[in-house]
Amino acid sequence: MWTYHPDLLTAPVPRYTSYPTAAQFSDDVGAADMAAALDGVKQGAGLSLYVHIPYCHDICWYCGCNTGAATRAHRLSAYVEALEQEIAMVAERLGGRGRVGRIAFGGGSPNSLPLIDFIRILNQLLRCFDAGEAAISVELDPRRLDRQWIGAMASVGVTRVNLGVQTFAPHVQAHIGRIQPVEMVETAMEALDRAGIRTGFDLMYGLPGQSIEDLEETIRTTIRLAPARIALFGYAHMPRLLPRQRRIDASALPDVDTRFAMAATGYRMLVEAGYQAIGFDHFALPRDAMALAARTGRLHRNFQGFTEDDAPVLIGLGASAISAFPDLLIQNEKQAGPYRDRLARGELPAARGVRRTADDRTRGRIIEDLLCHGRADMAGIDPAPQLAGYEAMGLAVRDGSLLRLTPDALPYARSIAACFDAYLLPSESRFSHAV
């Protein structure tokens, strides 16, 4: 299937859900820039909203998300009040301009909130924005998902949910602090299907104590349950940056050779089962909107990963949420306390970001096209010298200014895209490996 080139996978590279990446964000960009960007949104412009809920009832040891324990009711209610205030402030700044096509709730786990608070936030969004026709999606923890939640989501118009599954192997679950019996996920899937809500799964390979056979069994179970979308990510072990990962036994992690074999096995099994590959690590059933977008050249990439969302403006709401405008990427205060404090002072909570130059936008387009479509017009941009090595190995083919990835290049797509990253340093260590 794929040829294994271990030397090409040694350098950490970004996931490129934006360009420049968050590594280039600084506090030179802040609330005034966010206000100006909102003022520049045109009447009727397409908008997407992302709402971040930075809490979970149970903190998984592998997790790299910005999330804390949902153990104190007053902390959750204070956050919801601040979020309602931010929604109102942003909407007032827009003054009715812009039409919302999508609303995505992520985290953390949005269902770590009391159900009444989730409904409260959604009502605030619909009251403040022109979002009556918006598609609504929610990231969910199946361990905290009951029939009341599912019924409520169906009644308020949620069309898609994504379940954090990671693995069905009990001994691997014990290694990562996430005990989640397969019967629990099966029950949730049955109820979601009856409610008419489409589902996606997040799966992981490279977990501690995980064998190729464990991954195969998880994928066989997933194929039987038939979620419309699947993301199959490689676990990134970075305990220096993520202290919760220090609870994971690093000696139990699969080696690089095994990780590559796991990625290849997962890809093969899902494609053979009828899923369409979306880039290297996403998969969708052929009738799914993401698969259709990939086939018709309309696939995009944003902070949620691969998407069919083509809105030119994404507004992030909540602590650590990132907003994307054509010439600006900007992130809210990361921690919930400072986030609430800014709003209490009547300020937009945007705290850091980067202004996107013309060169940034050109490089960002090349990177996105390579990852989404396997080809890009690189006219006017000089790639890093490392690109020649990928060409020599037959992983990339150049025809004038057009660069095309060959089928064997899929595991190396992020590394090839990194050849167009003007900010990436050879000594960079804060990113994960490509596989």
Side-chain angles (χ1 to χ4, degrees):
M1 193 172 127
W2 295 325
T3 303
Y4 180 38
H5 303 290
D7 52 313
L8 300 184
L9 299 173
T10 55
V13 289
R15 291 193 178 275
Y16 291 117
T17 53
S18 73
Y19 185 82
T21 69
Q24 276 67 58
F25 289 9
S26 77
D27 56 11
D28 292 338
V29 172
D33 299 278
M34 180 67 176
L38 292 171
D39 290 345
V41 172
K42 304 299 184 184
Q43 187 70 38
L47 303 177
S48 291
L49 304 179
Y50 170 75
V51 184
H52 189 72
I53 308 299
Y55 298 104
C56 292
H57 277 285
D58 307 287
I59 305 299
C60 304
W61 306 341
Y62 65 86
C63 183
C65 298
N66 176 42
T67 186
T71 53
R72 286 182 276 180
H74 72 276
R75 174 190 291 176
L76 299 182
S77 62
Y79 184 77
V80 171
E81 289 173 7
L83 189 52
E84 285 184 309
Q85 186 177 356
E86 184 190 9
I87 291 167
M89 289 178 66
V90 170
E92 183 179 11
R93 194 88 201 189
L94 284 171
R97 301 184 312 280
R99 175 167 295 181
V100 177
R102 297 171 190 272
I103 300 172
F105 286 83
S109 300
N111 58 327
S112 65
L113 295 177
L115 177 56
I116 188 68
D117 283 337
F118 172 79
I119 301 298
R120 179 176 155 187
I121 295 168
L122 183 56
N123 284 340
Q124 176 77 335
L125 291 166
L126 297 176
R127 182 164 53 244
C128 292
F129 292 98
D130 180 5
E133 302 299 319
I136 305 170
S137 63
V138 189
E139 299 275 344
L140 295 172
D141 182 345
R143 297 170 297 176
R144 296 283 176 172
L145 186 58
D146 56 26
R147 294 182 185 277
Q148 187 178 15
W149 256 90
I150 293 171
M153 287 191 298
S155 68
V156 299
V158 172
T159 55
R160 185 182 298 277
V161 303
N162 204 67
L163 302 180
V165 172
Q166 320 314 342
T167 176
F168 285 116
H171 66 282
V172 181
Q173 293 176 352
H175 273 289
I176 62 175
R178 189 183 181 98
I179 306 303
Q180 188 171 271
V182 64
E183 294 80 12
M184 180 183 292
V185 179
E186 288 176 332
T187 299
M189 288 286 288
E190 290 169 1
L192 289 163
D193 185 60
R194 286 195 298 271
I197 299 175
R198 297 186 296 279
T199 55
F201 279 10
D202 283 346
L203 304 178
M204 297 187 82
Y205 65 87
L207 292 169
Q210 186 184 38
S211 66
I212 291 180
E213 291 73 23
D214 294 327
L215 178 64
E216 289 174 337
E217 183 57 32
T218 287
I219 291 176
R220 279 193 290 268
T221 302
T222 296
I223 291 168
R224 175 172 61 81
L225 295 175
R229 296 181 182 181
I230 299 166
L232 178 59
F233 297 119
Y235 167 62
H237 189 61
M238 297 184 288
R240 183 177 62 83
L241 298 177
L242 302 168
R244 66 183 60 143
Q245 291 187 352
R246 294 170 190 165
R247 300 184 68 179
I248 286 178
D249 179 7
S251 68
L253 293 171
D255 59 23
V256 177
D257 294 18
T258 304
R259 284 175 63 96
F260 188 89
M262 286 177 163
T265 296
Y267 185 96
R268 174 184 56 77
M269 290 180 68
L270 290 170
V271 170
E272 287 178 355
Y275 281 88
Q276 179 177 328
I278 311 293
F280 168 56
D281 53 12
H282 282 58
F283 305 85
L285 292 175
R287 290 179 293 177
D288 185 83
M290 183 184 289
L292 179 62
R295 292 196 301 272
T296 56
R298 296 182 293 105
L299 189 68
H300 294 278
R301 193 157 172 82
N302 65 17
F303 298 111
Q304 282 80 61
F306 290 109
T307 178
E308 70 275 22
D309 183 7
D310 61 357
V313 173
L314 170 65
I315 297 175
L317 301 160
S320 81
I322 302 176
S323 298
F325 300 86
D327 58 354
L328 180 73
L329 301 172
I330 190 162
Q331 184 175 30
N332 282 351
E333 283 280 4
K334 285 188 173 183
Q335 302 304 317
Y339 165 79
R340 294 196 307 268
D341 291 343
R342 281 184 179 250
L343 287 161
R345 296 193 298 267
E347 302 171 4
L348 288 169
R352 57 196 297 269
V354 62
R355 299 177 186 88
R356 302 180 75 217
T357 66
D359 183 71
D360 290 336
R361 293 195 291 273
T362 300
R363 291 177 180 272
R365 175 191 55 75
I366 293 170
I367 290 169
E368 183 179 36
D369 284 350
L370 286 173
L371 296 179
C372 291
H373 312 299
R375 63 187 182 280
D377 185 347
M378 55 183 191
I381 297 295
D382 292 325
Q386 293 91 320
L387 180 61
Y390 295 104
E391 292 179 275
M393 290 184 173
L395 301 175
V397 177
R398 199 184 308 208
D399 182 7
S401 65
L402 182 66
L403 183 70
R404 178 177 56 82
L405 306 186
T406 64
D408 204 36
L410 270 180
Y412 310 97
R414 279 167 55 197
S415 299
I416 296 171
C419 294
F420 296 90
D421 187 338
Y423 301 98
L424 190 63
L425 300 174
S427 59
E428 185 60 73
S429 62
R430 74 189 104 181
F431 302 118
S432 61
H433 291 275
V435 174

